Amino acid sequence: MCRWLAYSGSPILMKDVLYGGTNSLVDQSLHSRLGAEPTNGDGFGVGWYGASATPGVYRSIEPAWNDENLRELAGHISSPLFFTHIRAAIGSAVQQTNCHPFRHENWLFMHNGYINEFDTIKRDLILAVDPSLFPAIKGQADTEVLFYLALTFGLMDDPAVAIEQAVGLVEAIAERHDVPHPFQGTIATTDGKSIWAIRYSSERKSRSLFYTTDVPTLRRLYPERQLFQEVSDDARLIVSEPLGDVAGVWNEVPESCWGVIGPDHQEIRPFRPEAPATTIAVGS
Amino acid sequence: MCRWLAYSGSPILMKDVLYGGTNSLVDQSLHSRLGAEPTNGDGFGVGWYGASATPGVYRSIEPAWNDENLRELAGHISSPLFFTHIRAAIGSAVQQTNCHPFRHENWLFMHNGYINEFDTIKRDLILAVDPSLFPAIKGQADTEVLFYLALTFGLMDDPAVAIEQAVGLVEAIAERHDVPHPFQGTIATTDGKSIWAIRYSSERKSRSLFYTTDVPTLRRLYPERQLFQEVSDDARLIVSEPLGDVAGVWNEVPESCWGVIGPDHQEIRPFRPEAPATTIAVGS
Amino acid sequence: MCRWLAYSGSPILMKDVLYGGTNSLVDQSLHSRLGAEPTNGDGFGVGWYGASATPGVYRSIEPAWNDENLRELAGHISSPLFFTHIRAAIGSAVQQTNCHPFRHENWLFMHNGYINEFDTIKRDLILAVDPSLFPAIKGQADTEVLFYLALTFGLMDDPAVAIEQAVGLVEAIAERHDVPHPFQGTIATTDGKSIWAIRYSSERKSRSLFYTTDVPTLRRLYPERQLFQEVSDDARLIVSEPLGDVAGVWNEVPESCWGVIGPDHQEIRPFRPEAPATTIAVGS
Amino acid sequence: MCRWLAYSGSPILMKDVLYGGTNSLVDQSLHSRLGAEPTNGDGFGVGWYGASATPGVYRSIEPAWNDENLRELAGHISSPLFFTHIRAAIGSAVQQTNCHPFRHENWLFMHNGYINEFDTIKRDLILAVDPSLFPAIKGQADTEVLFYLALTFGLMDDPAVAIEQAVGLVEAIAERHDVPHPFQGTIATTDGKSIWAIRYSSERKSRSLFYTTDVPTLRRLYPERQLFQEVSDDARLIVSEPLGDVAGVWNEVPESCWGVIGPDHQEIRPFRPEAPATTIAVGS
């Protein structure tokens, strides 16, 4: 299990949402309230967009709470769209190549959750990755494989459908191996303009996922909050766990749904995994 | 705050007391029950005696719970006397040179606790260290300075008295700077033959400290326990927090006491800090 | 490219061959003479046999020359058979799971060299690994895949033949992808009793490989050398590069050969890669 | 010994001078041509100015050549003034707190060289640091102590004079301890607006130091060089070793001199160490 945060809006320093407050993401690395594990100390990562289309990524195997470099970067890098992720490893090694967010070209991808009994179905899953993408897999995390499956199924064209197919494939292959509850978690992915977020689990008891109320409303509710005054009207945070307990700020994404926030669209829809028929045959 | 463990007895693999059980030391690194902080994830260290008089020391800045190398070493190094320590940093950097146990020649030293407002009195304390020992200080931890003060005051000849003088000096210098409650904690030190352990705090609310019941009694109480059958009659564990909840195993060291276990002596006595008069003058 | 060393004989401290001398292995990490790269600073590893059948493994991503823990372990761990390896990464990430030696049950495996254009043929190679072994692959190094191919082909029963088949498969798959000079390097593997070493490259210009003259001869040549007096008659070092320039100590393994040293046998034979016919079909 | 680089001018990505070319700074980390050691693999650091007056600092103990995070940051952080430093440790531990550049408020400080027999005179030097600055020392590197001595002697008001006094104090204390050739090296310091650079050694055989020819001249000499076209007229690099062999680009700073480049002044003057008389008395 892990904790994550995604921001989109006018540029802010990453520290404005990573540190401080009563339940900041770095606080959650030491004692999360809603996570499956209270401690998320097995590395972390940040990915941010700036001057170039390709995001920068900083990943470390140290706990976020005592990484001096994270503190420096968060205090000096301002960005209109960034992902941050703190990890509680389950099974795969604590190493940078297993830390989220994962990047492919201009896309980022991160996940709180797991593929159940990953070792059992890993080989079949890897076989379904497009061979031209295969060498780009650099670690051994279940999430990285899921990312490359989604890329194989067209993430760059239609992220929600591609992730529905990737998760659907995980469920189909798991069924063949009698693996119960194959997928659990919340996912975020972005092309640097829009953010797609998914909340889903095969057993329909998904990890929590929240997004912020629109900024104009927040300003009316909390006129004294400096950050709300500074960010743009369209600014949003999507988080695995609320940062603090302020009433009216956080809204839960419903079970088995995906949503998107972007410059011209915001919506929430049902998430319906379905394996691409052809891929299962190839993987056999 | 930190957690620590000291073992003396017939040689055992370090893993026998570091892993497994319901509250093993590595478990405590993730969720300690009695510690001031539940998470002790800011590095760790082990020091062990073997073939040579000088102990080996392995220290790492990773959390103990996910350090693969610790798992390897603990499973392959057998020793008749070893120290292990997991760290929750307060103030000083997370780096190997600040990890316990500290070593000087054939001695090891570790500590759970702190010198209060160390920054305020650090310079005066360092001035009291024997200039010939001064270059051996390699980090910036309060405990390392305390160790070199104790060495200055004769740790190698009379550990209990030397630590009483070192803690006494801390209290005397703190008083001059109006620092309240200057010392807190439990200390263990060893020459590879005997182990001295101290429980003390200036405010008389000291961190916990326990030692095991003698092995023959443990064998009678728990004839099914393999480890109790294997270790020698004189084997002892001294810990900042019991490993597990088994009745009759753990005995608390009284407030403001020091004890020693060794090949030919075991005793517990009052701990009475007293600064060496001359040193305070030098430090002025 | 990398540098490695394997020792078998009466137990010695690892430091006796890792440090000191004019071209010790740790020296070679900073400035190798015969290596393809002078600096081998991308991590290292040691594997040693002791009390249990399964060897201990210590791996780190720090350069060997400044790893304090390696210095400690080398000075305190005595072993009758150990492998050490210093790495100069080519392509795959600098992370512990890519550091040699690799271990499977009681076997160790290490390599100086590379699989050419590994990214191009990696997928086909991984497909040829026994599915039951597949989840044990923890990193992304070419050598780890080679190790699991050799295990698939019976390394534990007949190491030389299994490695001939693994390298043969690499060459066969490389040919299908028009990859030139597919394999380069020297390999060592052990079950804790015997050591097998291979020197081979597809282009027949293999990295260097040396073994020591028998100890009784060395004692006659160098009666003043303490280490030669201390080790057993059957002690041997196998190295990618001589440690020092002493005449009569080092013998080169001929091109395209494998050798074995063990309690009851020592021989050198031609190394003749040949892919197992069935596996190529499976991998198609 | 180490290698360093300082840039001032219109904002550029750090990667433009850290990577690429025939002798880039990261190349020099693997095989420096002019350094006392060819390999500078004992950590590195970058410090850069951006939105806030206080610079960001990123330091790591990994070799610069294989640090993925450095590559990311250098490709995504654009700055008008930055320092980068690669380290070859002599004596003090490889840890972040010993990596350059060191920072105090809005100042950065870095050094290629050493204080000779630092252990012998360290205590006296530390005693001369202003007690109010003393707790800010976080590591054990000779350079950090030199920085805090210079801060004690007024670095923020008159950097050249303060460093002359700090180096002078080193020489005076070294003389009392019979330490020969006490100071060696080149230093750079900045307040975020101007850069001061010093080349000096007690034996007058100082490490090399170079600065770039003015940009308008470089543009005339090399009209095809993209970087020269892009940077502002006042852009300058100061380096311990030229990046590449292009004629007319690099000018050597004379022996025993200091220089400054800033928005309104550029000059080179003799460097004349002189200990502040009062401090020596205090340190006795």
Side-chain angles (χ1 to χ4, degrees), chain C residues 12 173 188 192 240 253:
Chain C
I12 60 170
I173 289 177
S240 51
V253 174

Side-chain angles (χ1 to χ4, degrees), chain D residues 87-100:
Chain D
R87 188 163 178 248
I90 325 174
S92 63
V94 178
Q95 56 192 25
Q96 282 182 26
T97 54
N98 286 348
C99 289
H100 310 216

Side-chain angles (χ1 to χ4, degrees), chain C residues 117-136:
Chain C
E117 297 185 26
F118 182 52
D119 273 359
T120 304
I121 63 175
K122 179 181 183 181
R123 188 172 183 274
D124 284 1
L125 293 177
I126 285 176
L127 284 178
V129 172
D130 185 322
S132 72
L133 291 171
F134 183 82

Side-chain angles (χ1 to χ4, degrees), chain B residues 93 95-97 119 122-123 126-129 131 134-135 137-140, chain D residues 93 95-97 119 122-123 126-129 131 134-135 137-140:
Chain B
Q95 56 192 25
Q96 282 181 27
T97 54
D119 272 359
K122 180 181 183 180
R123 189 173 183 274
I126 284 176
L127 284 178
V129 171
F134 182 82
I137 299 177
K138 294 302 179 199
Q140 294 285 3
Chain D
Q95 56 192 25
Q96 282 182 26
T97 54
D119 273 359
K122 180 181 182 180
R123 189 173 182 275
I126 284 176
L127 284 179
V129 172
F134 183 82
I137 299 177
K138 295 300 179 199
Q140 293 286 3

Side-chain angles (χ1 to χ4, degrees), chain A residues 93 95 97 119 122-123 126-127 129 131 134-135 137-140, chain C residues 93 95 97 119 122-123 126-127 129 131 134-135 137-140:
Chain A
Q95 56 192 26
T97 55
D119 272 359
K122 179 182 182 180
R123 189 172 182 275
I126 284 176
L127 284 178
V129 171
F134 183 82
I137 299 177
K138 294 300 180 201
Q140 294 286 3
Chain C
Q95 56 191 26
T97 55
D119 273 359
K122 179 181 183 181
R123 188 172 183 274
I126 285 176
L127 284 178
V129 172
F134 183 82
I137 299 176
K138 294 300 180 200
Q140 293 286 1

Side-chain angles (χ1 to χ4, degrees), chain B residues 23-62:
Chain B
N23 193 35
S24 74
L25 195 72
V26 173
D27 280 348
Q28 292 176 29
S29 70
L30 257 179
H31 27 67
S32 156
R33 300 173 185 182
L34 302 186
E37 288 87 18
T39 306
N40 297 271
D42 303 332
F44 67 89
V46 299
W48 73 97
Y49 293 83
S52 69
T54 303
V57 172
Y58 172 64
R59 303 190 291 183
S60 163
I61 60 170
E62 289 193 53

